[in-house]
Amino acid sequence: MGAGERVAALRRARERQARIESATARTVKARDSLNRTIVARQVAIERYDERVADAEAACAAETAELARVCRSADAAAEILGWSVRELRRVVKSDRERRTAADEPLAGGHDADA
């Protein structure tokens, strides 16, 4: 192998090493981006779950309030187009949620549920 061939081989080796380093840097950057995206997705899911739980709680509280105002689960169910069984389930979940949170029931009495 002549001197010119050795120089060319060394140049090719340096170029290959530079491509390897560049590809490694891009791969590490892409992996870091993926990890950040996975964490962001998990946080977004947790926030979404919290918003759904908050909306469910608000709906249950309003349903329970309607049953209290109507003084009848039957009347409230009819107004909403729900079955009485479904309305009572929602009112019960509201009552349990409030009890778990140590909040007194609004109005100081239960709905006819």
Side-chain angles (χ1 to χ4, degrees), residues 58-99:
C59 181
E62 293 301 332
T63 301
E65 179 63 18
L66 176 63
R68 281 190 288 278
V69 169
C70 290
R71 296 184 184 165
S72 166
D74 293 337
E78 186 175 338
I79 290 168
L80 295 172
W82 295 2
S83 69
V84 174
R85 182 178 188 171
E86 175 67 9
L87 185 120
R88 289 177 191 225
R89 184 193 64 76
V90 171
V91 169
K92 181 180 178 185
S93 73
D94 178 64
R95 187 179 308 123
E96 289 169 351
R97 186 177 289 118
R98 289 176 185 264
T99 300

PDB file of all heavy atoms in Angstrom, residues 58-99:
ATOM      1  N   ALA A  58     -69.188  17.578  38.627  1.00  0.00           N
ATOM      2  CA  ALA A  58     -70.095  18.711  38.432  1.00  0.00           C
ATOM      3  C   ALA A  58     -71.449  18.229  37.930  1.00  0.00           C
ATOM      4  O   ALA A  58     -72.503  18.698  38.393  1.00  0.00           O
ATOM      5  CB  ALA A  58     -69.490  19.716  37.450  1.00  0.00           C
ATOM      6  N   CYS A  59     -71.444  17.306  37.003  1.00  0.00           N
ATOM      7  CA  CYS A  59     -72.694  16.764  36.469  1.00  0.00           C
ATOM      8  C   CYS A  59     -73.476  16.056  37.569  1.00  0.00           C
ATOM      9  O   CYS A  59     -74.694  16.234  37.695  1.00  0.00           O
ATOM     10  CB  CYS A  59     -72.402  15.812  35.311  1.00  0.00           C
ATOM     11  SG  CYS A  59     -73.891  15.105  34.578  1.00  0.00           S
ATOM     12  N   ALA A  60     -72.784  15.263  38.373  1.00  0.00           N
ATOM     13  CA  ALA A  60     -73.455  14.548  39.462  1.00  0.00           C
ATOM     14  C   ALA A  60     -74.024  15.532  40.475  1.00  0.00           C
ATOM     15  O   ALA A  60     -75.151  15.351  40.966  1.00  0.00           O
ATOM     16  CB  ALA A  60     -72.481  13.585  40.139  1.00  0.00           C
ATOM     17  N   ALA A  61     -73.280  16.574  40.786  1.00  0.00           N
ATOM     18  CA  ALA A  61     -73.758  17.572  41.750  1.00  0.00           C
ATOM     19  C   ALA A  61     -74.996  18.291  41.212  1.00  0.00           C
ATOM     20  O   ALA A  61     -75.977  18.504  41.946  1.00  0.00           O
ATOM     21  CB  ALA A  61     -72.656  18.577  42.059  1.00  0.00           C
ATOM     22  N   GLU A  62     -74.964  18.653  39.938  1.00  0.00           N
ATOM     23  CA  GLU A  62     -76.122  19.329  39.349  1.00  0.00           C
ATOM     24  C   GLU A  62     -77.321  18.398  39.255  1.00  0.00           C
ATOM     25  O   GLU A  62     -78.465  18.819  39.460  1.00  0.00           O
ATOM     26  CB  GLU A  62     -75.767  19.897  37.970  1.00  0.00           C
ATOM     27  CG  GLU A  62     -74.754  21.023  38.017  1.00  0.00           C
ATOM     28  CD  GLU A  62     -75.214  22.218  38.844  1.00  0.00           C
ATOM     29  OE1 GLU A  62     -76.430  22.468  38.963  1.00  0.00           O
ATOM     30  OE2 GLU A  62     -74.343  22.913  39.384  1.00  0.00           O
ATOM     31  N   THR A  63     -77.079  17.129  38.967  1.00  0.00           N
ATOM     32  CA  THR A  63     -78.165  16.151  38.909  1.00  0.00           C
ATOM     33  C   THR A  63     -78.787  15.979  40.290  1.00  0.00           C
ATOM     34  O   THR A  63     -80.022  15.955  40.428  1.00  0.00           O
ATOM     35  CB  THR A  63     -77.648  14.801  38.390  1.00  0.00           C
ATOM     36  OG1 THR A  63     -77.086  15.000  37.093  1.00  0.00           O
ATOM     37  CG2 THR A  63     -78.751  13.769  38.316  1.00  0.00           C
ATOM     38  N   ALA A  64     -77.938  15.880  41.301  1.00  0.00           N
ATOM     39  CA  ALA A  64     -78.440  15.754  42.672  1.00  0.00           C
ATOM     40  C   ALA A  64     -79.225  17.003  43.064  1.00  0.00           C
ATOM     41  O   ALA A  64     -80.278  16.899  43.715  1.00  0.00           O
ATOM     42  CB  ALA A  64     -77.281  15.513  43.640  1.00  0.00           C
ATOM     43  N   GLU A  65     -78.739  18.161  42.657  1.00  0.00           N
ATOM     44  CA  GLU A  65     -79.450  19.405  42.964  1.00  0.00           C
ATOM     45  C   GLU A  65     -80.818  19.423  42.278  1.00  0.00           C
ATOM     46  O   GLU A  65     -81.817  19.839  42.879  1.00  0.00           O
ATOM     47  CB  GLU A  65     -78.617  20.618  42.535  1.00  0.00           C
ATOM     48  CG  GLU A  65     -79.287  21.954  42.789  1.00  0.00           C
ATOM     49  CD  GLU A  65     -79.563  22.250  44.260  1.00  0.00           C
ATOM     50  OE1 GLU A  65     -78.947  21.611  45.135  1.00  0.00           O
ATOM     51  OE2 GLU A  65     -80.399  23.132  44.520  1.00  0.00           O
ATOM     52  N   LEU A  66     -80.887  18.971  41.035  1.00  0.00           N
ATOM     53  CA  LEU A  66     -82.173  18.910  40.335  1.00  0.00           C
ATOM     54  C   LEU A  66     -83.131  17.980  41.070  1.00  0.00           C
ATOM     55  O   LEU A  66     -84.307  18.322  41.261  1.00  0.00           O
ATOM     56  CB  LEU A  66     -81.984  18.436  38.895  1.00  0.00           C
ATOM     57  CG  LEU A  66     -83.275  18.242  38.091  1.00  0.00           C
ATOM     58  CD1 LEU A  66     -84.024  19.569  37.939  1.00  0.00           C
ATOM     59  CD2 LEU A  66     -82.960  17.629  36.730  1.00  0.00           C
ATOM     60  N   ALA A  67     -82.632  16.828  41.512  1.00  0.00           N
ATOM     61  CA  ALA A  67     -83.486  15.898  42.252  1.00  0.00           C
ATOM     62  C   ALA A  67     -83.967  16.533  43.554  1.00  0.00           C
ATOM     63  O   ALA A  67     -85.130  16.349  43.943  1.00  0.00           O
ATOM     64  CB  ALA A  67     -82.736  14.600  42.537  1.00  0.00           C
ATOM     65  N   ARG A  68     -83.101  17.306  44.219  1.00  0.00           N
ATOM     66  CA  ARG A  68     -83.515  17.978  45.462  1.00  0.00           C
ATOM     67  C   ARG A  68     -84.571  19.040  45.170  1.00  0.00           C
ATOM     68  O   ARG A  68     -85.571  19.157  45.877  1.00  0.00           O
ATOM     69  CB  ARG A  68     -82.308  18.616  46.146  1.00  0.00           C
ATOM     70  CG  ARG A  68     -81.468  17.634  46.921  1.00  0.00           C
ATOM     71  CD  ARG A  68     -80.429  18.333  47.786  1.00  0.00           C
ATOM     72  NE  ARG A  68     -79.331  18.912  47.003  1.00  0.00           N
ATOM     73  CZ  ARG A  68     -78.282  18.232  46.561  1.00  0.00           C
ATOM     74  NH1 ARG A  68     -78.186  16.940  46.798  1.00  0.00           N
ATOM     75  NH2 ARG A  68     -77.330  18.832  45.890  1.00  0.00           N
ATOM     76  N   VAL A  69     -84.354  19.833  44.132  1.00  0.00           N
ATOM     77  CA  VAL A  69     -85.297  20.894  43.784  1.00  0.00           C
ATOM     78  C   VAL A  69     -86.650  20.291  43.397  1.00  0.00           C
ATOM     79  O   VAL A  69     -87.705  20.803  43.780  1.00  0.00           O
ATOM     80  CB  VAL A  69     -84.730  21.779  42.647  1.00  0.00           C
ATOM     81  CG1 VAL A  69     -85.789  22.706  42.085  1.00  0.00           C
ATOM     82  CG2 VAL A  69     -83.537  22.570  43.141  1.00  0.00           C
ATOM     83  N   CYS A  70     -86.613  19.197  42.634  1.00  0.00           N
ATOM     84  CA  CYS A  70     -87.851  18.546  42.216  1.00  0.00           C
ATOM     85  C   CYS A  70     -88.517  17.789  43.373  1.00  0.00           C
ATOM     86  O   CYS A  70     -89.702  17.480  43.316  1.00  0.00           O
ATOM     87  CB  CYS A  70     -87.579  17.546  41.089  1.00  0.00           C
ATOM     88  SG  CYS A  70     -87.135  18.297  39.524  1.00  0.00           S
ATOM     89  N   ARG A  71     -87.724  17.484  44.407  1.00  0.00           N
ATOM     90  CA  ARG A  71     -88.173  16.673  45.539  1.00  0.00           C
ATOM     91  C   ARG A  71     -88.617  15.286  45.093  1.00  0.00           C
ATOM     92  O   ARG A  71     -89.433  14.652  45.756  1.00  0.00           O
ATOM     93  CB  ARG A  71     -89.295  17.362  46.300  1.00  0.00           C
ATOM     94  CG  ARG A  71     -88.870  18.648  46.942  1.00  0.00           C
ATOM     95  CD  ARG A  71     -89.977  19.230  47.756  1.00  0.00           C
ATOM     96  NE  ARG A  71     -89.551  20.513  48.282  1.00  0.00           N
ATOM     97  CZ  ARG A  71     -90.379  21.390  48.780  1.00  0.00           C
ATOM     98  NH1 ARG A  71     -91.668  21.140  48.837  1.00  0.00           N
ATOM     99  NH2 ARG A  71     -89.917  22.526  49.239  1.00  0.00           N
ATOM    100  N   SER A  72     -88.071  14.860  43.955  1.00  0.00           N
ATOM    101  CA  SER A  72     -88.455  13.548  43.436  1.00  0.00           C
ATOM    102  C   SER A  72     -87.429  13.086  42.410  1.00  0.00           C
ATOM    103  O   SER A  72     -87.173  13.781  41.421  1.00  0.00           O
ATOM    104  CB  SER A  72     -89.833  13.638  42.783  1.00  0.00           C
ATOM    105  OG  SER A  72     -90.083  12.487  42.003  1.00  0.00           O
ATOM    106  N   ALA A  73     -86.889  11.904  42.642  1.00  0.00           N
ATOM    107  CA  ALA A  73     -85.972  11.328  41.659  1.00  0.00           C
ATOM    108  C   ALA A  73     -86.736  10.984  40.389  1.00  0.00           C
ATOM    109  O   ALA A  73     -86.207  11.112  39.280  1.00  0.00           O
ATOM    110  CB  ALA A  73     -85.309  10.078  42.229  1.00  0.00           C
ATOM    111  N   ASP A  74     -87.990  10.567  40.531  1.00  0.00           N
ATOM    112  CA  ASP A  74     -88.798  10.234  39.361  1.00  0.00           C
ATOM    113  C   ASP A  74     -88.984  11.454  38.464  1.00  0.00           C
ATOM    114  O   ASP A  74     -88.828  11.372  37.244  1.00  0.00           O
ATOM    115  CB  ASP A  74     -90.172   9.699  39.785  1.00  0.00           C
ATOM    116  CG  ASP A  74     -90.081   8.350  40.487  1.00  0.00           C
ATOM    117  OD1 ASP A  74     -89.079   7.641  40.267  1.00  0.00           O
ATOM    118  OD2 ASP A  74     -91.008   8.022  41.251  1.00  0.00           O
ATOM    119  N   ALA A  75     -89.321  12.588  39.065  1.00  0.00           N
ATOM    120  CA  ALA A  75     -89.541  13.799  38.277  1.00  0.00           C
ATOM    121  C   ALA A  75     -88.246  14.262  37.626  1.00  0.00           C
ATOM    122  O   ALA A  75     -88.240  14.650  36.441  1.00  0.00           O
ATOM    123  CB  ALA A  75     -90.103  14.907  39.163  1.00  0.00           C
ATOM    124  N   ALA A  76     -87.151  14.231  38.354  1.00  0.00           N
ATOM    125  CA  ALA A  76     -85.866  14.650  37.793  1.00  0.00           C
ATOM    126  C   ALA A  76     -85.456  13.732  36.650  1.00  0.00           C
ATOM    127  O   ALA A  76     -84.975  14.200  35.606  1.00  0.00           O
ATOM    128  CB  ALA A  76     -84.794  14.670  38.879  1.00  0.00           C
ATOM    129  N   ALA A  77     -85.659  12.429  36.820  1.00  0.00           N
ATOM    130  CA  ALA A  77     -85.317  11.473  35.761  1.00  0.00           C
ATOM    131  C   ALA A  77     -86.157  11.737  34.519  1.00  0.00           C
ATOM    132  O   ALA A  77     -85.660  11.687  33.395  1.00  0.00           O
ATOM    133  CB  ALA A  77     -85.516  10.043  36.257  1.00  0.00           C
ATOM    134  N   GLU A  78     -87.423  12.026  34.718  1.00  0.00           N
ATOM    135  CA  GLU A  78     -88.299  12.312  33.584  1.00  0.00           C
ATOM    136  C   GLU A  78     -87.857  13.575  32.851  1.00  0.00           C
ATOM    137  O   GLU A  78     -87.813  13.617  31.619  1.00  0.00           O
ATOM    138  CB  GLU A  78     -89.743  12.462  34.068  1.00  0.00           C
ATOM    139  CG  GLU A  78     -90.739  12.619  32.938  1.00  0.00           C
ATOM    140  CD  GLU A  78     -92.176  12.652  33.423  1.00  0.00           C
ATOM    141  OE1 GLU A  78     -92.470  12.154  34.518  1.00  0.00           O
ATOM    142  OE2 GLU A  78     -93.001  13.209  32.676  1.00  0.00           O
ATOM    143  N   ILE A  79     -87.492  14.597  33.599  1.00  0.00           N
ATOM    144  CA  ILE A  79     -87.021  15.849  32.991  1.00  0.00           C
ATOM    145  C   ILE A  79     -85.773  15.596  32.143  1.00  0.00           C
ATOM    146  O   ILE A  79     -85.648  16.116  31.028  1.00  0.00           O
ATOM    147  CB  ILE A  79     -86.728  16.909  34.079  1.00  0.00           C
ATOM    148  CG1 ILE A  79     -88.040  17.389  34.703  1.00  0.00           C
ATOM    149  CG2 ILE A  79     -85.926  18.078  33.503  1.00  0.00           C
ATOM    150  CD1 ILE A  79     -87.859  18.200  35.970  1.00  0.00           C
ATOM    151  N   LEU A  80     -84.871  14.797  32.666  1.00  0.00           N
ATOM    152  CA  LEU A  80     -83.604  14.532  31.973  1.00  0.00           C
ATOM    153  C   LEU A  80     -83.722  13.456  30.897  1.00  0.00           C
ATOM    154  O   LEU A  80     -82.801  13.290  30.086  1.00  0.00           O
ATOM    155  CB  LEU A  80     -82.530  14.129  32.981  1.00  0.00           C
ATOM    156  CG  LEU A  80     -82.128  15.210  33.980  1.00  0.00           C
ATOM    157  CD1 LEU A  80     -81.208  14.632  35.042  1.00  0.00           C
ATOM    158  CD2 LEU A  80     -81.484  16.381  33.273  1.00  0.00           C
ATOM    159  N   GLY A  81     -84.814  12.705  30.922  1.00  0.00           N
ATOM    160  CA  GLY A  81     -84.953  11.603  29.972  1.00  0.00           C
ATOM    161  C   GLY A  81     -84.102  10.410  30.358  1.00  0.00           C
ATOM    162  O   GLY A  81     -83.662   9.642  29.505  1.00  0.00           O
ATOM    163  N   TRP A  82     -83.817  10.281  31.656  1.00  0.00           N
ATOM    164  CA  TRP A  82     -83.018   9.182  32.178  1.00  0.00           C
ATOM    165  C   TRP A  82     -83.935   8.191  32.850  1.00  0.00           C
ATOM    166  O   TRP A  82     -85.072   8.510  33.202  1.00  0.00           O
ATOM    167  CB  TRP A  82     -82.025   9.673  33.227  1.00  0.00           C
ATOM    168  CG  TRP A  82     -80.959  10.591  32.742  1.00  0.00           C
ATOM    169  CD1 TRP A  82     -80.778  11.087  31.494  1.00  0.00           C
ATOM    170  CD2 TRP A  82     -79.910  11.146  33.540  1.00  0.00           C
ATOM    171  NE1 TRP A  82     -79.689  11.910  31.451  1.00  0.00           N
ATOM    172  CE2 TRP A  82     -79.131  11.963  32.695  1.00  0.00           C
ATOM    173  CE3 TRP A  82     -79.562  11.025  34.859  1.00  0.00           C
ATOM    174  CZ2 TRP A  82     -78.023  12.648  33.153  1.00  0.00           C
ATOM    175  CZ3 TRP A  82     -78.448  11.712  35.317  1.00  0.00           C
ATOM    176  CH2 TRP A  82     -77.684  12.513  34.457  1.00  0.00           C
ATOM    177  N   SER A  83     -83.390   7.015  33.123  1.00  0.00           N
ATOM    178  CA  SER A  83     -84.126   6.073  33.962  1.00  0.00           C
ATOM    179  C   SER A  83     -83.952   6.524  35.412  1.00  0.00           C
ATOM    180  O   SER A  83     -82.961   7.186  35.764  1.00  0.00           O
ATOM    181  CB  SER A  83     -83.588   4.654  33.792  1.00  0.00           C
ATOM    182  OG  SER A  83     -82.293   4.542  34.355  1.00  0.00           O
ATOM    183  N   VAL A  84     -84.919   6.189  36.230  1.00  0.00           N
ATOM    184  CA  VAL A  84     -84.826   6.537  37.653  1.00  0.00           C
ATOM    185  C   VAL A  84     -83.608   5.853  38.262  1.00  0.00           C
ATOM    186  O   VAL A  84     -82.896   6.444  39.083  1.00  0.00           O
ATOM    187  CB  VAL A  84     -86.129   6.150  38.398  1.00  0.00           C
ATOM    188  CG1 VAL A  84     -85.986   6.380  39.891  1.00  0.00           C
ATOM    189  CG2 VAL A  84     -87.311   6.926  37.837  1.00  0.00           C
ATOM    190  N   ARG A  85     -83.360   4.639  37.824  1.00  0.00           N
ATOM    191  CA  ARG A  85     -82.210   3.886  38.348  1.00  0.00           C
ATOM    192  C   ARG A  85     -80.906   4.633  38.067  1.00  0.00           C
ATOM    193  O   ARG A  85     -80.039   4.749  38.933  1.00  0.00           O
ATOM    194  CB  ARG A  85     -82.191   2.504  37.710  1.00  0.00           C
ATOM    195  CG  ARG A  85     -81.087   1.632  38.197  1.00  0.00           C
ATOM    196  CD  ARG A  85     -81.164   0.269  37.552  1.00  0.00           C
ATOM    197  NE  ARG A  85     -80.209  -0.615  38.166  1.00  0.00           N
ATOM    198  CZ  ARG A  85     -80.151  -1.892  37.950  1.00  0.00           C
ATOM    199  NH1 ARG A  85     -81.008  -2.464  37.134  1.00  0.00           N
ATOM    200  NH2 ARG A  85     -79.245  -2.621  38.534  1.00  0.00           N
ATOM    201  N   GLU A  86     -80.740   5.151  36.825  1.00  0.00           N
ATOM    202  CA  GLU A  86     -79.529   5.899  36.467  1.00  0.00           C
ATOM    203  C   GLU A  86     -79.422   7.176  37.294  1.00  0.00           C
ATOM    204  O   GLU A  86     -78.359   7.528  37.794  1.00  0.00           O
ATOM    205  CB  GLU A  86     -79.527   6.225  34.967  1.00  0.00           C
ATOM    206  CG  GLU A  86     -78.369   7.093  34.520  1.00  0.00           C
ATOM    207  CD  GLU A  86     -77.003   6.426  34.625  1.00  0.00           C
ATOM    208  OE1 GLU A  86     -76.928   5.215  34.882  1.00  0.00           O
ATOM    209  OE2 GLU A  86     -75.995   7.128  34.447  1.00  0.00           O
ATOM    210  N   LEU A  87     -80.518   7.884  37.429  1.00  0.00           N
ATOM    211  CA  LEU A  87     -80.492   9.120  38.208  1.00  0.00           C
ATOM    212  C   LEU A  87     -80.098   8.833  39.657  1.00  0.00           C
ATOM    213  O   LEU A  87     -79.270   9.534  40.231  1.00  0.00           O
ATOM    214  CB  LEU A  87     -81.854   9.820  38.172  1.00  0.00           C
ATOM    215  CG  LEU A  87     -81.801  11.180  38.878  1.00  0.00           C
ATOM    216  CD1 LEU A  87     -82.156  12.281  37.931  1.00  0.00           C
ATOM    217  CD2 LEU A  87     -82.656  11.175  40.108  1.00  0.00           C
ATOM    218  N   ARG A  88     -80.668   7.798  40.227  1.00  0.00           N
ATOM    219  CA  ARG A  88     -80.331   7.458  41.620  1.00  0.00           C
ATOM    220  C   ARG A  88     -78.861   7.066  41.752  1.00  0.00           C
ATOM    221  O   ARG A  88     -78.229   7.391  42.748  1.00  0.00           O
ATOM    222  CB  ARG A  88     -81.239   6.345  42.128  1.00  0.00           C
ATOM    223  CG  ARG A  88     -82.645   6.839  42.343  1.00  0.00           C
ATOM    224  CD  ARG A  88     -83.555   5.734  42.771  1.00  0.00           C
ATOM    225  NE  ARG A  88     -84.927   6.207  42.712  1.00  0.00           N
ATOM    226  CZ  ARG A  88     -85.813   5.994  43.652  1.00  0.00           C
ATOM    227  NH1 ARG A  88     -85.516   5.313  44.712  1.00  0.00           N
ATOM    228  NH2 ARG A  88     -87.038   6.451  43.516  1.00  0.00           N
ATOM    229  N   ARG A  89     -78.331   6.372  40.735  1.00  0.00           N
ATOM    230  CA  ARG A  89     -76.915   6.001  40.769  1.00  0.00           C
ATOM    231  C   ARG A  89     -76.046   7.263  40.784  1.00  0.00           C
ATOM    232  O   ARG A  89     -75.083   7.368  41.544  1.00  0.00           O
ATOM    233  CB  ARG A  89     -76.564   5.141  39.545  1.00  0.00           C
ATOM    234  CG  ARG A  89     -75.115   4.628  39.572  1.00  0.00           C
ATOM    235  CD  ARG A  89     -74.703   4.055  38.239  1.00  0.00           C
ATOM    236  NE  ARG A  89     -74.684   5.042  37.169  1.00  0.00           N
ATOM    237  CZ  ARG A  89     -73.729   5.967  37.003  1.00  0.00           C
ATOM    238  NH1 ARG A  89     -72.727   6.053  37.852  1.00  0.00           N
ATOM    239  NH2 ARG A  89     -73.783   6.820  35.997  1.00  0.00           N
ATOM    240  N   VAL A  90     -76.409   8.246  39.962  1.00  0.00           N
ATOM    241  CA  VAL A  90     -75.636   9.493  39.889  1.00  0.00           C
ATOM    242  C   VAL A  90     -75.759  10.264  41.203  1.00  0.00           C
ATOM    243  O   VAL A  90     -74.761  10.777  41.725  1.00  0.00           O
ATOM    244  CB  VAL A  90     -76.094  10.343  38.686  1.00  0.00           C
ATOM    245  CG1 VAL A  90     -75.459  11.722  38.719  1.00  0.00           C
ATOM    246  CG2 VAL A  90     -75.760   9.634  37.376  1.00  0.00           C
ATOM    247  N   VAL A  91     -76.966  10.339  41.754  1.00  0.00           N
ATOM    248  CA  VAL A  91     -77.168  11.042  43.028  1.00  0.00           C
ATOM    249  C   VAL A  91     -76.372  10.349  44.133  1.00  0.00           C
ATOM    250  O   VAL A  91     -75.733  11.009  44.963  1.00  0.00           O
ATOM    251  CB  VAL A  91     -78.674  11.126  43.378  1.00  0.00           C
ATOM    252  CG1 VAL A  91     -78.871  11.610  44.802  1.00  0.00           C
ATOM    253  CG2 VAL A  91     -79.394  12.040  42.393  1.00  0.00           C
ATOM    254  N   LYS A  92     -76.389   9.020  44.124  1.00  0.00           N
ATOM    255  CA  LYS A  92     -75.628   8.269  45.140  1.00  0.00           C
ATOM    256  C   LYS A  92     -74.130   8.535  44.997  1.00  0.00           C
ATOM    257  O   LYS A  92     -73.432   8.747  45.997  1.00  0.00           O
ATOM    258  CB  LYS A  92     -75.907   6.780  44.999  1.00  0.00           C
ATOM    259  CG  LYS A  92     -75.186   5.939  46.029  1.00  0.00           C
ATOM    260  CD  LYS A  92     -75.499   4.468  45.854  1.00  0.00           C
ATOM    261  CE  LYS A  92     -74.718   3.642  46.857  1.00  0.00           C
ATOM    262  NZ  LYS A  92     -74.902   2.208  46.626  1.00  0.00           N
ATOM    263  N   SER A  93     -73.633   8.569  43.760  1.00  0.00           N
ATOM    264  CA  SER A  93     -72.198   8.830  43.569  1.00  0.00           C
ATOM    265  C   SER A  93     -71.844  10.239  44.039  1.00  0.00           C
ATOM    266  O   SER A  93     -70.771  10.449  44.612  1.00  0.00           O
ATOM    267  CB  SER A  93     -71.789   8.635  42.105  1.00  0.00           C
ATOM    268  OG  SER A  93     -72.265   9.675  41.289  1.00  0.00           O
ATOM    269  N   ASP A  94     -72.751  11.191  43.823  1.00  0.00           N
ATOM    270  CA  ASP A  94     -72.510  12.547  44.312  1.00  0.00           C
ATOM    271  C   ASP A  94     -72.464  12.565  45.827  1.00  0.00           C
ATOM    272  O   ASP A  94     -71.588  13.184  46.430  1.00  0.00           O
ATOM    273  CB  ASP A  94     -73.593  13.507  43.801  1.00  0.00           C
ATOM    274  CG  ASP A  94     -73.393  14.913  44.338  1.00  0.00           C
ATOM    275  OD1 ASP A  94     -72.349  15.519  44.002  1.00  0.00           O
ATOM    276  OD2 ASP A  94     -74.265  15.398  45.078  1.00  0.00           O
ATOM    277  N   ARG A  95     -73.399  11.883  46.445  1.00  0.00           N
ATOM    278  CA  ARG A  95     -73.443  11.822  47.910  1.00  0.00           C
ATOM    279  C   ARG A  95     -72.161  11.196  48.456  1.00  0.00           C
ATOM    280  O   ARG A  95     -71.564  11.702  49.410  1.00  0.00           O
ATOM    281  CB  ARG A  95     -74.669  11.018  48.353  1.00  0.00           C
ATOM    282  CG  ARG A  95     -74.904  11.049  49.846  1.00  0.00           C
ATOM    283  CD  ARG A  95     -76.147  10.247  50.266  1.00  0.00           C
ATOM    284  NE  ARG A  95     -77.325  10.630  49.512  1.00  0.00           N
ATOM    285  CZ  ARG A  95     -78.060   9.781  48.786  1.00  0.00           C
ATOM    286  NH1 ARG A  95     -77.740   8.511  48.714  1.00  0.00           N
ATOM    287  NH2 ARG A  95     -79.122  10.207  48.138  1.00  0.00           N
ATOM    288  N   GLU A  96     -71.718  10.102  47.829  1.00  0.00           N
ATOM    289  CA  GLU A  96     -70.485   9.437  48.275  1.00  0.00           C
ATOM    290  C   GLU A  96     -69.271  10.335  48.076  1.00  0.00           C
ATOM    291  O   GLU A  96     -68.380  10.384  48.920  1.00  0.00           O
ATOM    292  CB  GLU A  96     -70.311   8.120  47.521  1.00  0.00           C
ATOM    293  CG  GLU A  96     -71.312   7.065  47.934  1.00  0.00           C
ATOM    294  CD  GLU A  96     -71.312   5.856  47.015  1.00  0.00           C
ATOM    295  OE1 GLU A  96     -70.651   5.892  45.946  1.00  0.00           O
ATOM    296  OE2 GLU A  96     -71.994   4.878  47.364  1.00  0.00           O
ATOM    297  N   ARG A  97     -69.230  11.047  46.959  1.00  0.00           N
ATOM    298  CA  ARG A  97     -68.112  11.944  46.671  1.00  0.00           C
ATOM    299  C   ARG A  97     -68.056  13.056  47.713  1.00  0.00           C
ATOM    300  O   ARG A  97     -67.007  13.406  48.215  1.00  0.00           O
ATOM    301  CB  ARG A  97     -68.261  12.536  45.266  1.00  0.00           C
ATOM    302  CG  ARG A  97     -67.078  13.360  44.827  1.00  0.00           C
ATOM    303  CD  ARG A  97     -67.235  13.866  43.403  1.00  0.00           C
ATOM    304  NE  ARG A  97     -67.112  12.776  42.444  1.00  0.00           N
ATOM    305  CZ  ARG A  97     -68.069  12.373  41.604  1.00  0.00           C
ATOM    306  NH1 ARG A  97     -69.229  12.978  41.584  1.00  0.00           N
ATOM    307  NH2 ARG A  97     -67.871  11.385  40.782  1.00  0.00           N
ATOM    308  N   ARG A  98     -69.217  13.613  48.032  1.00  0.00           N
ATOM    309  CA  ARG A  98     -69.259  14.682  49.029  1.00  0.00           C
ATOM    310  C   ARG A  98     -68.890  14.162  50.414  1.00  0.00           C
ATOM    311  O   ARG A  98     -68.189  14.838  51.158  1.00  0.00           O
ATOM    312  CB  ARG A  98     -70.644  15.327  49.061  1.00  0.00           C
ATOM    313  CG  ARG A  98     -70.937  16.158  47.839  1.00  0.00           C
ATOM    314  CD  ARG A  98     -72.364  16.681  47.906  1.00  0.00           C
ATOM    315  NE  ARG A  98     -72.731  17.383  46.702  1.00  0.00           N
ATOM    316  CZ  ARG A  98     -72.659  18.694  46.562  1.00  0.00           C
ATOM    317  NH1 ARG A  98     -72.222  19.441  47.549  1.00  0.00           N
ATOM    318  NH2 ARG A  98     -73.011  19.259  45.432  1.00  0.00           N
ATOM    319  N   THR A  99     -69.358  12.976  50.739  1.00  0.00           N
ATOM    320  CA  THR A  99     -69.034  12.386  52.042  1.00  0.00           C
ATOM    321  C   THR A  99     -67.535  12.131  52.143  1.00  0.00           C
ATOM    322  O   THR A  99     -66.910  12.410  53.165  1.00  0.00           O
ATOM    323  CB  THR A  99     -69.810  11.076  52.250  1.00  0.00           C
ATOM    324  OG1 THR A  99     -71.206  11.360  52.194  1.00  0.00           O
ATOM    325  CG2 THR A  99     -69.479  10.447  53.582  1.00  0.00           C
TER     326      THR A  99
END
